[in-house]
């Protein structure tokens, strides 16, 4: 009897801790949602449970001629799609080579990647600005995509290489025996098996432009090229409290799709990260 | 010698590797000497066209790198610096290719002397595809990487040795090389030394405390939720991952609003009933507390996800064996769970530390490094990277920003390499 009581107490204790954490996690998120539904535009008058809920801010984002939200969304989608596409192709090829070939310079190559991923891209922003200026890529999507896809290369290659290392070599060796070329081995055998980790890379690289306001802030100049994060950041940067309700509505429209995809791919994320990166 | 006679290398007798190597001082000639006519002529043509098109530019670029310009009306030191570093990178690449060319001629000659047949063109193509495949993939990516990642870092290093600041900035003025003067300034001038020390110590404190708390909370939750008596595991995990799933750009700004001293929800809703008002954004200590709490909120789900994955893969046999031996729950955690989990995730946990060391977003978005500290050029919550950002883009003090970046880079690289070499993944590779 004593044992079951103790066990019950323990279980309730665990549930209690989980519940407290639920509150801590959900409070800010719900607060943001409720702010976005508050009438008016300032935080001063905002209430947790608004007297009269309104979708005005959401309507404003898409309907008001002053709002460039739709344009920002389109820009971000363009940058994000290309970034994911280019990153996945480059990363998978590089990881394949580093995982399956033994060649002079391989070790140094891995070391270089390892070291470079430690340095934040931010450290070289002045130089990136000047470089893009020199090759006329300043204020273009191409420049932004270039920085994103190449800047993230070292880390992602490491992630995928670790995953490929866990796939038995016998598979591709026997295919090579049967006369398959490098590319056949790559596309037909390894890529299908590496799908979970490639999904992780695609997701991360797709999401990066939605969340990063700093790189576009340095590279993009014309307002019609702004990405969502940059546009929204500028929106509240000057008068923080004044536009906050609209800002909240705008960010929720980014957060909901991203969070949904994220949670749907949860299983992939867990297995991909745990299998690949830990052995990387 | 006998071998050479058998295959009959031609009128010149046995081919001499030395001569082949010497001849390929002009790329291609050595290969021609080795009777690889097509390869030789391609190399010769390539070398000539490269020399014609890039030679002058490279030399000019290197010159510009040394002088940084002579006439402020004509020269822009920044462009010269950019082109100079690119020329340096290009020069090094060309030099490496040049070395490979000489080695290739030498090797072919050795092979010929040992009686190997020279592969036919088709065979050569096939071989180079087979053996060269990794290089076809790696070399172009490395060139891009050199431009986007390595070049900017070199540029930063170079800036630290110039006098580039708001008061001395191109195009109006020329830059000069000043040696270690900026570093001396950093360590001798009390204004800079004080800022550097306080920012550095807060950066280290922030990195260690925020990341460790993140990991501890994640560990606690992963173990608790993994308990076999707990139901609705999937739902619980989904909610616990939410902070990771929602873009941090958004949540940090939401937190910034919530922690606002005058109209934030924390003060007006949560603490108001207790009659407490906390100056979250204006007091250094409270701002630091808030920012650590927020980072724990943001960062624990990722580690939690990792730990959950590993926990599920630990074999039950371990725990059953421990039960037989009468191990307590704490002992099971201490000697089975903890080592397993930490061992498997060590590299990623290290990355978490280095991520927080450079976690610019949260610092900048929450309070822009504020509140300001009197007598210091950095704010109370400024970490090295956000300080560098402010020095660069607000104060335009490029030289000092670059010098601090170098110190930062050295810390990160040393720590990371040291840790990575100790972890399993490297030993497995046999490094």
């Amino acid at each position: 009897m004593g044992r079951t009581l103790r066990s019950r107490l323990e279980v309730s204790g665990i549930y209690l801790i989980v519940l407290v954490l639920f509150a801590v996690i959900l409070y800010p998120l719900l607060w943001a949602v409720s702010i976005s539904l508050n009438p008016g535009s300032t935080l001063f008058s905002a209430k947790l449970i608004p007297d009269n809920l309104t979708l005005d801010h959401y309507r404003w984002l898409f309907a008001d001629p002053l709002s460039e939200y739709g344009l920002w969304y389109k820009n971000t989608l363009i940058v994000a799609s290309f970034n994911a596409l280019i990153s996945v192709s480059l990363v998978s090829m590089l990881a394949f080579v580093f995982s399956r070939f033994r060649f002079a310079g391989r070790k140094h190559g891995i070391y270089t990647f390892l070291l470079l991923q430690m340095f934040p891209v931010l450290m070289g922003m002045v130089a990136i600005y000047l470089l893009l200026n020199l090759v006329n890529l300043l204020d273009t999507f191409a420049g932004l995509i270039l920085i994103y896809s190449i800047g993230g290369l070292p880390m992602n290659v490491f992630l995928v290489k670790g995953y490929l290392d866990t796939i038995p070599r016998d598979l591709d060796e026997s295919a090579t025996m049967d006369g398959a070329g490098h590319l056949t081995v790559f596309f037909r055998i390894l890529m299908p098996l590496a799908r979970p980790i490639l999904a992780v890379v695609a997701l991360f690289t797709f999401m990066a432009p939605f969340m990063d306001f700093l790189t576009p802030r340095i590279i993009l100049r014309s307002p019609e090229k702004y990405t969502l994060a940059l546009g929204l950041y500028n929106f509240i940067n000057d008068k923080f409290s004044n536009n906050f309700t609209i800002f909240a509505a705008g960010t929720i429209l980014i957060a909901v799709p991203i969070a949904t995809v994220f949670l749907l791919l949860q299983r992939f994320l867990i297995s991909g990260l745990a299998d690949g990166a830990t052995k990387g | 010698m006998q071998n050479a006679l058998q295959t009959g290398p031609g009128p010149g007798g046995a081919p001499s590797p030395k001569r082949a190597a010497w001849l390929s001082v002009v790329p291609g000639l050595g290969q021609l000497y080795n009777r690889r006519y097509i390869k030789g002529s391609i190399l010769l043509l390539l070398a000539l066209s490269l020399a014609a098109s890039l030679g002058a530019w490279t030399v000019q670029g290197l010159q510009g790198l040394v002088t940084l310009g002579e006439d402020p009306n004509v020269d822009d030191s920044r462009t010269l610096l950019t082109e100079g570093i690119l020329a340096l990178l290009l020069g090094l690449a060309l030099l490496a290719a040049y070395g490979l060319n000489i080695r290739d001629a030498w090797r072919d000659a050795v092979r010929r002397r040992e009686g190997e047949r020279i592969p036919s063109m088709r065979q050569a193509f096939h071989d180079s595809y087979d053996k060269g495949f990794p290089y076809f993939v790696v070399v172009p990516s490395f060139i891009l990487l050199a431009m986007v990642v390595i070049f900017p870092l070199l540029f930063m290093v170079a800036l630290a040795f110039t006098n580039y600041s708001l008061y001395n900035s191109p195009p109006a003025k020329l830059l000069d090389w000043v040696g270690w003067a900026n570093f001396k300034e950093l360590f001798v001038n009390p204004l800079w030394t004080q800022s550097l020390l306080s920012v550095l110590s807060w950066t280290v404190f922030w990195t260690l405390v925020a990341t460790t708390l993140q990991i501890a909370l994640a560990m606690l939750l992963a173990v608790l939720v993994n308990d076999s008596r707990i139901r609705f595991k999937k739902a619980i995990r989904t909610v616990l991952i939410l902070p990771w799933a929602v873009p941090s750009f958004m949540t940090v700004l939401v937190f910034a609003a919530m922690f606002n001293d005058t109209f934030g929800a924390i003060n007006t809703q949560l603490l108001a009933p207790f009659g407490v008002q906390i100056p979250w954004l204006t007091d250094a200590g409270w701002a630091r507390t808030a920012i650590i709490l927020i980072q724990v909120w943001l960062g624990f789900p990722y580690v939690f996800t990792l730990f959950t994955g590993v926990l599920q893969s630990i074999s039950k046999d371990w725990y059953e064996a421990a039960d037989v031996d009468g191990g307590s729950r704490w002992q099971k955690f201490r000697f089975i769970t903890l080592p397993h989990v930490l061992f498997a995730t060590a590299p990623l946990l290290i990355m978490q530390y280095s991520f927080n060391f450079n976690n610019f977003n949260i610092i900048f978005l929450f309070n822009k490094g504020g509140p300001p500290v009197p007598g210091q050029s950095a704010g109370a919550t400024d970490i090295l990277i956000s300080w560098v950002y402010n020095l660069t883009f607000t104060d335009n003090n490029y030289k000092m920003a670059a010098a601090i970046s170098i110190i930062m880079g050295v810390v990160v690289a040393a720590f990371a390499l040291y840790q990575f070499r100790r972890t399993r993944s490297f030993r497995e590779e046999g490094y």
Side-chain angles (χ1 to χ4, degrees):
Chain A
M1 192 63 201
R3 248 185 106 165
T4 50
L5 183 70
R6 206 181 138 195
S7 168
R8 258 192 214 156
L9 275 177
E10 276 171 11
V11 173
S12 341
I14 295 177
Y15 279 124
L16 191 70
I17 293 176
V18 168
L19 275 181
V20 170
L21 265 143
F22 272 24
V24 174
I25 287 171
L26 292 175
Y27 179 68
L29 299 176
L30 291 178
W31 185 79
V33 173
S34 94
I35 288 290
S36 77
L37 297 173
N38 256 288
S41 68
T42 66
L43 272 180
F44 293 104
S45 57
K47 287 181 184 151
L48 188 57
I49 301 151
D51 301 331
N52 38 351
L53 294 171
T54 165
L55 284 171
D56 278 356
H57 303 308
Y58 292 92
R59 229 171 278 135
W60 187 92
L61 285 173
F62 290 102
D64 197 281
L66 278 175
S67 160
E68 285 176 319
Y69 192 74
L71 190 64
W72 296 340
Y73 225 111
K74 200 186 80 190
N75 292 344
T76 314
L77 281 177
I78 295 174
V79 174
S81 316
F82 275 100
N83 184 30
L85 198 71
I86 295 173
S87 296
V88 169
S89 350
L90 277 179
V91 165
S92 55
M93 279 302 256
L94 276 170
F96 168 56
V97 163
F98 277 120
S99 168
R100 287 308 198 257
F101 291 81
R102 296 288 176 267
F103 53 96
R106 172 177 178 273
K107 205 164 88 178
H108 294 289
I110 294 178
Y111 263 129
T112 313
F113 275 165
L114 195 66
L115 199 61
L116 286 182
Q117 76 170 357
M118 297 297 158
F119 294 97
V121 178
L122 180 66
M123 263 173 78
M125 277 304 174
V126 180
I128 288 177
Y129 179 86
L130 291 172
L131 181 73
L132 291 179
N133 197 13
L134 200 70
V135 293
N136 276 329
L137 282 177
L138 213 56
D139 200 18
T140 62
F141 290 151
L144 191 58
I145 294 166
L146 185 77
I147 303 298
Y148 275 140
S149 52
I150 306 297
L153 211 54
M155 168 155 185
N156 290 325
V157 166
F158 225 73
L159 209 60
V160 179
K161 178 199 166 277
Y163 193 90
L164 290 184
D165 285 346
T166 64
I167 299 174
R169 283 170 149 267
D170 310 357
L171 283 175
D172 36 305
E173 269 162 16
S174 59
T176 314
M177 293 284 197
D178 292 343
H182 301 313
L183 288 178
T184 319
V185 170
F186 174 70
F187 282 115
R188 291 280 175 79
I189 296 174
L190 285 175
M191 283 311 101
L193 290 173
R195 232 180 268 152
I197 193 72
L198 291 183
V200 172
V201 171
L203 182 67
F204 283 176
T205 48
F206 187 83
M207 283 190 336
F210 282 88
M211 311 199 209
D212 177 38
F213 71 101
L214 191 68
T215 323
R217 197 165 177 220
I218 288 157
I219 293 174
L220 300 176
R221 285 279 168 269
S222 18
E224 74 271 11
K225 286 183 184 152
Y226 280 1
T227 60
L228 276 172
L230 178 61
L232 284 171
Y233 178 76
N234 285 346
F235 196 66
I236 59 157
N237 190 22
D238 308 327
K239 338 164 224 186
F240 191 84
S241 57
N242 289 343
N243 288 325
F244 203 87
T245 44
I246 293 177
F247 167 81
T251 46
I252 282 165
L253 289 184
I254 312 174
V256 168
I258 288 186
T260 314
V261 174
F262 210 86
L263 294 177
L264 286 177
L265 290 181
Q266 221 192 104
R267 220 155 34 86
F268 266 142
L269 286 178
I270 295 180
S271 68
L273 281 174
D275 295 354
T278 53
K279 287 163 195 148
Chain B
M1 205 53 203
Q2 205 170 358
N3 277 344
L5 282 176
Q6 270 169 4
T7 43
S16 144
K18 223 175 228 173
R19 195 178 295 166
W22 271 112
L23 274 171
S24 61
V25 166
V26 177
L29 287 193
Q31 281 74 9
L32 288 177
Y33 170 81
N34 281 335
R35 300 183 169 191
R36 303 191 65 167
Y37 299 112
I38 300 177
K39 187 177 176 184
S41 7
I42 291 176
L43 273 179
L44 192 60
L45 267 175
L46 198 67
L48 285 178
S49 54
L50 277 178
S53 58
L54 296 174
W57 187 81
T58 311
V59 172
Q60 233 173 39
L62 291 176
Q63 263 171 5
L65 190 59
V66 174
T67 62
L68 289 181
E70 266 131 20
D71 180 1
N73 295 317
V74 189
D75 299 325
D76 183 335
S77 296
R78 288 172 306 178
T79 318
L80 288 177
L81 196 57
T82 311
E83 287 176 350
I85 292 173
L86 289 179
L88 191 69
L89 284 174
L90 184 73
L92 285 177
L94 288 179
L95 215 60
Y98 190 68
L100 285 178
N101 145 63
I102 292 180
R103 200 176 71 163
D104 177 69
W106 169 280
R107 279 197 174 169
D108 270 0
V110 169
R111 246 183 265 156
R112 276 209 320 155
R113 193 165 65 177
E114 283 167 359
E116 264 179 59
R117 291 197 50 168
I118 293 191
S120 72
M121 202 59 206
R122 238 182 105 183
Q123 184 65 35
F125 264 125
H126 185 84
D127 279 358
S128 67
Y129 173 71
D130 211 46
K131 293 218 183 83
F133 183 79
Y135 298 103
F136 291 134
V137 177
V138 171
V139 169
S141 318
F142 258 92
I143 292 175
L144 283 173
L145 207 63
M147 300 288 285
V148 175
V149 184
I150 300 175
F151 160 74
L153 289 176
L154 288 179
F155 188 87
M156 202 69 164
V157 172
L159 276 192
F161 298 95
T162 68
N163 53 0
Y164 189 4
S165 68
L166 182 62
Y167 309 105
N168 185 57
S169 65
K173 290 183 181 152
L174 288 173
L175 300 181
D176 291 304
W177 294 112
V178 294
W180 294 91
N182 296 327
F183 292 93
K184 213 178 273 169
E185 171 95 2
L186 206 52
F187 289 112
V188 173
N189 184 339
L191 185 72
W192 283 105
T193 315
Q194 202 193 343
S195 299
L196 180 68
L197 272 182
S198 72
V199 174
L200 189 65
S201 53
W202 160 241
T203 309
V204 171
F205 181 82
W206 145 260
T207 309
L208 291 179
V209 172
T211 320
T212 309
L213 279 179
Q214 237 169 272
I215 293 173
L217 180 63
M219 177 71 87
L220 176 76
L221 287 171
V223 171
L224 290 185
V225 177
N226 204 43
D227 191 300
S228 55
R229 291 165 297 181
I230 296 294
R231 293 196 289 162
F232 314 114
K233 282 197 171 68
K234 219 173 157 188
I236 293 177
R237 284 184 185 136
T238 305
V239 177
L240 290 183
I241 295 183
L242 265 181
W244 185 25
V246 179
S248 64
F249 160 77
M250 167 193 171
T251 33
V252 175
L253 284 170
V254 167
F255 273 120
M258 288 179 65
F259 276 99
N260 192 297
D261 294 357
T262 41
F263 54 76
I266 306 253
N267 273 351
T268 57
Q269 290 170 6
L270 290 184
L271 297 176
F274 308 102
V276 191
Q277 294 288 302
I278 292 176
W280 294 107
L281 297 183
T282 42
D283 179 83
W286 285 115
R288 290 175 170 183
T289 314
I291 220 159
I292 287 179
L293 289 177
I294 295 171
Q295 180 53 38
V296 173
W297 189 94
L298 286 170
F300 90 86
Y302 170 74
V303 191
F304 170 80
T305 309
L306 282 178
F307 284 171
T308 302
V310 180
L311 279 181
Q312 287 166 344
S313 70
I314 302 179
S315 162
K316 289 224 164 35
D317 301 351
W318 289 93
Y319 295 103
E320 279 161 16
D323 283 335
V324 172
D325 291 345
S328 72
R329 203 180 296 171
W330 168 250
Q331 282 171 326
K332 278 191 258 178
F333 174 76
R334 173 69 186 78
F335 295 107
I336 301 174
T337 315
L338 197 64
H340 261 102
V341 170
L342 290 186
F343 191 65
T345 56
L348 289 169
L349 296 185
I350 293 164
M351 266 190 227
Q352 277 298 296
Y353 281 96
S354 89
F355 172 80
N356 271 338
F357 186 84
N358 291 317
N359 197 339
F360 171 82
N361 265 13
I362 185 171
I363 306 287
F364 185 77
L365 290 176
F366 183 64
N367 205 10
K368 294 200 172 152
V373 178
Q376 189 176 300
S377 78
T381 54
D382 258 328
I383 56 175
L384 283 170
I385 191 148
S386 64
W387 190 29
V388 165
Y389 177 89
N390 280 336
L391 285 176
T392 308
F393 292 100
T394 316
D395 305 346
N396 290 347
N397 196 344
Y398 300 99
K399 52 175 189 171
M400 292 315 255
I404 297 164
S405 305
I406 290 179
I407 296 175
M408 199 169 91
V410 169
V411 172
V412 175
F415 171 73
L417 270 187
Y418 170 73
Q419 282 297 334
F420 266 108
R421 296 189 73 142
R422 285 165 34 126
T423 49
R424 178 182 54 131
S425 51
F426 262 77
R427 295 214 196 101
E428 267 179 5
E429 286 265 3
Y431 289 117

